[in-house]
Amino acid sequence: MPAFVARLFFAAGTLAWATAQSAPEYTADGQLKLPSDYREWVFLSSGLGMTYQQGMERSPSFTNVFVNPAAHRSFVSNGKWPDKTMLVLEVRASSSKGSINKGGSYQSGVVAIEGEVKDSSKFPGSGWAFFGFGQSTTGKMFPRSEDCYACHAEHGAVDNTFVQFYPTLRHIAETKGTFKNGR
Amino acid sequence: MPAFVARLFFAAGTLAWATAQSAPEYTADGQLKLPSDYREWVFLSSGLGMTYQQGMERSPSFTNVFVNPAAHRSFVSNGKWPDKTMLVLEVRASSSKGSINKGGSYQSGVVAIEGEVKDSSKFPGSGWAFFGFGQSTTGKMFPRSEDCYACHAEHGAVDNTFVQFYPTLRHIAETKGTFKNGR
């Protein structure tokens, strides 16, 4: 193949890749940048008022979870998360009885955003780290002493992630044999 | 540019397009085919137990709404739906108190799927039609006498769709001036 054809093909391939691929990026002081297009990533699931403590939340929020498309494709293939996986947890307020709605709950404004990334060269050990964005576009890493680390390590059905609550991925992990029973 | 380079470029472009673009497809008897990759489309929102009648549902379901990426890109640009827009409404059962969850609701199995498409050459008038898939991969069109047609036409904040319940799109439509107050 002439070199310029290969170059052209590579350029087109890079373009397609750029729209579907993303890796975690950090500020100079180690904060995780919130990807501007995370709402176009693959949606995993949404919960309402989910809690790990007894008792229902008084003002329950929706929790939408998105994953970067490249990591999702990898998971669909083998039931595992590749390095550079990013999950975004978007917490939204719940509303009711607006417009023609008479009951139940729908989503309104963003309350907070959190992120979980697998970046082995940056986070030795499990490779995973958690970040809190609040309503900012950069997120500070939660200290290793926070409960989220131990809880995800112990109870995550697949590699520090709560696949037991993501119905499409749960099925894939069970089929691929990577699902451990979420305790 | 030599012809074979143009052909190569076109082929690569087609490939990228195919992963991001989709138009409604029908069976010979006019049923809408459920796109196999709709879960990788753009997520618009999720509700729980949403109803248009008084009183909360006894067994509330989650309702996830997805739109094809090409239509979403167009909406982001101008706050309107292009021809060949497809929205998929995925109804999922809600569960609670599984694994480490102690309260609130998370999503489990698919209960039913519905679709709404804008296909002007096929559906004269508004251009929109509604389909019920149940748990099948082909969906029968709802008759024009069904409530969904009149309700979406009257109450949809943007062109027969309930953008008033999709927080990211609502903001875009308000900014672009295409949002009519959902009554």
Side-chain angles (χ1 to χ4, degrees):
Chain A
M1 189 190 289
F4 68 92
V5 176
R7 206 159 51 231
L8 186 65
F9 192 73
F10 181 73
T14 304
L15 187 68
W17 190 245
T19 61
Q21 169 85 355
S22 51
E25 292 180 9
Y26 308 89
T27 61
D29 64 343
Q31 293 191 51
L32 181 65
K33 294 182 184 176
L34 182 66
S36 61
D37 64 346
Y38 79 85
R39 283 283 310 200
E40 291 165 22
W41 288 5
V42 179
F43 168 73
L44 295 184
S45 198
S46 184
L48 178 63
M50 289 179 71
T51 174
Y52 306 136
Q53 278 105 38
Q54 292 292 347
M56 178 70 178
E57 282 187 63
R58 209 169 296 176
S59 300
S61 296
F62 280 99
T63 40
N64 300 322
V65 181
F66 302 87
V67 65
N68 59 313
H72 183 259
R73 278 195 299 274
S74 181
F75 196 100
V76 169
S77 293
N78 59 27
K80 298 175 184 174
W81 295 120
D83 203 39
K84 310 298 185 190
T85 292
M86 296 183 66
L87 295 117
V88 172
L89 175 76
E90 183 192 65
V91 184
R92 281 191 179 266
S94 63
S95 298
S96 195
K97 300 181 182 167
S99 179
I100 58 168
N101 176 262
K102 297 278 192 280
S105 301
Y106 57 90
Q107 303 194 0
S108 44
V110 171
V111 174
I113 293 176
E114 297 182 1
E116 180 183 8
V117 304
K118 183 174 186 174
D119 199 341
S120 299
S121 63
K122 203 167 172 72
F123 309 111
S126 73
W128 293 93
F130 295 87
F131 295 82
F133 294 90
Q135 299 205 1
S136 170
T137 55
T138 59
K140 288 185 183 159
M141 186 174 151
F142 289 119
R144 292 277 166 198
S145 54
E146 290 279 332
D147 290 345
C148 50
Y149 291 93
C151 186
H152 278 250
E154 185 178 358
H155 299 293
V158 179
D159 185 14
N160 289 270
T161 64
F162 288 141
V163 168
Q164 60 265 47
F165 299 126
Y166 309 147
T168 54
L169 295 191
R170 178 183 182 129
H171 175 72
I172 291 166
E174 286 172 339
T175 306
K176 304 284 183 189
T178 59
F179 188 90
K180 66 172 182 173
N181 204 11
R183 288 160 294 174
Chain B
M1 189 189 289
F4 69 93
V5 176
R7 205 160 51 233
L8 186 65
F9 192 74
F10 180 73
T14 304
L15 188 68
W17 189 245
T19 61
Q21 170 85 355
S22 50
E25 292 180 8
Y26 308 89
T27 61
D29 64 344
Q31 293 191 50
L32 181 65
K33 295 182 183 175
L34 183 66
S36 60
D37 64 346
Y38 78 85
R39 282 284 311 202
E40 292 164 23
W41 287 6
V42 179
F43 168 73
L44 295 184
S45 198
S46 184
L48 179 62
M50 289 178 71
T51 174
Y52 305 137
Q53 276 104 38
Q54 292 292 348
M56 178 70 176
E57 283 186 64
R58 208 168 298 176
S59 300
S61 296
F62 280 99
T63 41
N64 300 322
V65 180
F66 303 87
V67 66
N68 58 313
H72 184 258
R73 277 195 299 275
S74 182
F75 196 99
V76 169
S77 294
N78 59 28
K80 298 176 184 173
W81 294 120
D83 203 40
K84 310 300 184 188
T85 292
M86 297 183 66
L87 296 117
V88 172
L89 175 76
E90 184 193 65
V91 184
R92 282 191 178 265
S94 63
S95 298
S96 194
K97 299 180 182 167
S99 179
I100 57 168
N101 176 262
K102 298 277 192 278
S105 302
Y106 57 90
Q107 303 194 0
S108 45
V110 171
V111 174
I113 293 176
E114 296 182 1
E116 180 183 7
V117 304
K118 183 174 187 175
D119 199 340
S120 299
S121 63
K122 203 166 171 72
F123 309 111
S126 73
W128 294 93
F130 295 87
F131 295 82
F133 293 90
Q135 299 203 359
S136 170
T137 55
T138 58
K140 288 186 182 157
M141 185 174 151
F142 289 120
R144 292 278 167 196
S145 54
E146 290 279 330
D147 290 345
C148 49
Y149 291 93
C151 186
H152 278 248
E154 185 178 358
H155 299 292
V158 179
D159 187 13
N160 290 271
T161 63
F162 287 140
V163 167
Q164 60 264 47
F165 300 125
Y166 309 147
T168 54
L169 295 191
R170 177 180 184 132
H171 175 72
I172 291 166
E174 285 171 340
T175 305
K176 304 283 184 188
T178 58
F179 188 90
K180 66 171 182 174
N181 204 11
R183 286 162 293 174

